[in-house]
Structures are given as structure tokens and as C-alpha cells.
Amino acid sequence: MDTSTVSSRGADPGALPVTLEVNGAALSLTVAPYVTLLDLLRERLQLTGTKKGCDHGQCGACTVLVDGKPINSCLKLAVTADGARVTTIEGLGADGRGGALQRAFIEHDAFQCGYCTPGQVCSAVALVAEGIAFTYDEVREYMSGNLCRCGAYPNITDAVMDVLRQQPGPDT
Ligand code: FES
Ligand code: FES
């Protein structure tokens, strides 16, 4: 990762210092105040697994986890994430819920072009961690901010339900 001054439009005298943890790596950066977290991740840190769809908070392709919560990174200025823990699809790895969800997406054929998939998986990781959606309809509602132009919704929901069923119950 290039961790020097971050500006999607070159050097910026108004750049501000930002400290972030991205996928477990502590970074100290200087970021222009207009740079979104999405552009920081993709253009400077080369974490291109996170996708830019609408760039207006409407599609969910840019979903990442900030302190464990799913957010649209196209709507968040990088400087406002100062001190945060950011997890992208690259940071979910093969273990834990992230790995289980990625395997379930493959097993359930839950994508076609795959453009929405990183955002879908990040939202699903938060869904499983939060433990607030359990039924097919609840999963669809929780995931409603993640659009899929290929219409893979039934298979995406099946994949998430599969992982939910594997979670230990409250008494286990
Ligand atoms: S690119 Fe962020 S919501 Fe569409
Ligand atoms: S798999 Fe193509 S947009 Fe979802």
C-alpha cells in the first residue's frame, strides 16, 4: 500500500492527517478532505475489491465494514473515518464468518457478474454478526441496500440463510 499523502487529484495543500486500521494494518495517511473512503481504498491503497457503482449511496456496491458496521464508503469522507477500523472484502479472509459467507456464495451460485458481491458479502458479515435477522424476509430487508443488477437475490439470500443456520444458538 502507498501510505503517503492521499489525494485523488494530486497533492493538496489542505490535506489532513488520518490514522486508520485497514484489514488489520495500521496506517497513517495524509488525505485531501474531499476524498471519499471508497476512493482512498481503491485508488490509493489498491484495495479494488470494493466496487464503485452509483457513487451516490444507492447501490451498496461500495459497502465496507467500519468498526464492524456496514457503510456505503462512497458517502463517507476518508477524514471522517479517522481512528476507525476498516474491513474490506480483502480483509475477510478464508476464516470465520467472512470465509463461510464467501464459500456459501460460491456453493449457492449467488452471483453472475460478481460486481455487487464484495458489498453483498460485507453486509452479510454484519448481518450474521449482529444477530438481528433470521428469516428469509428479514435477510432480504437487511440486505435491501445492496442491489444486484444480475438479479441473483434468491441465491444471495439462500447463501446468507445457509450461514445463519450454521450459527450457534443463544444457549450453545
Ligand atoms: S457506489 Fe456507493 S452506494 Fe453505490
Ligand atoms: S452479480 Fe452482477 S450485479 Fe450482482
Side-chain angles (χ1 to χ4, degrees), residues 1-88:
M1 291 182 193
D2 182 350
T3 58
S4 55
T5 299
V6 173
S7 166
S8 60
R9 298 175 194 166
D12 190 315
L16 299 168
V18 174
T19 301
L20 289 172
E21 181 187 311
V22 179
N23 297 335
L27 303 177
S28 293
L29 308 163
T30 306
V31 186
Y34 53 79
V35 173
T36 64
L37 180 59
L38 174 61
D39 285 343
L40 172 66
L41 292 169
R42 285 183 55 83
E43 297 181 15
R44 194 55 179 256
L45 304 181
Q46 287 82 51
L47 294 170
T48 54
T50 305
K51 303 306 183 196
K52 182 182 283 190
C54 64
D55 209 18
H56 285 83
Q58 296 175 346
C59 73
C62 65
T63 304
V64 299
L65 302 174
V66 172
D67 294 329
K69 303 291 184 189
I71 62 116
N72 291 331
S73 60
C74 70
L75 293 183
K76 188 168 185 64
L77 294 173
V79 293
T80 69
D82 187 32
R85 177 170 47 91
V86 180
T87 306
T88 70

Side-chain angles (χ1 to χ4, degrees), residues 110-117 120 147-152 156:
F111 48 81
Q112 290 184 40
C113 75
Y115 200 82
C116 72
T117 309
Q120 302 275 6
L147 304 186
C148 175
R149 281 165 285 187
C150 299
I156 292 168

Side-chain angles (χ1 to χ4, degrees), residues 116-135:
C116 72
T117 309
Q120 302 275 6
V121 171
C122 285
S123 286
V125 166
L127 181 158
V128 175
E130 289 177 12
I132 57 172
F134 302 98
T135 68

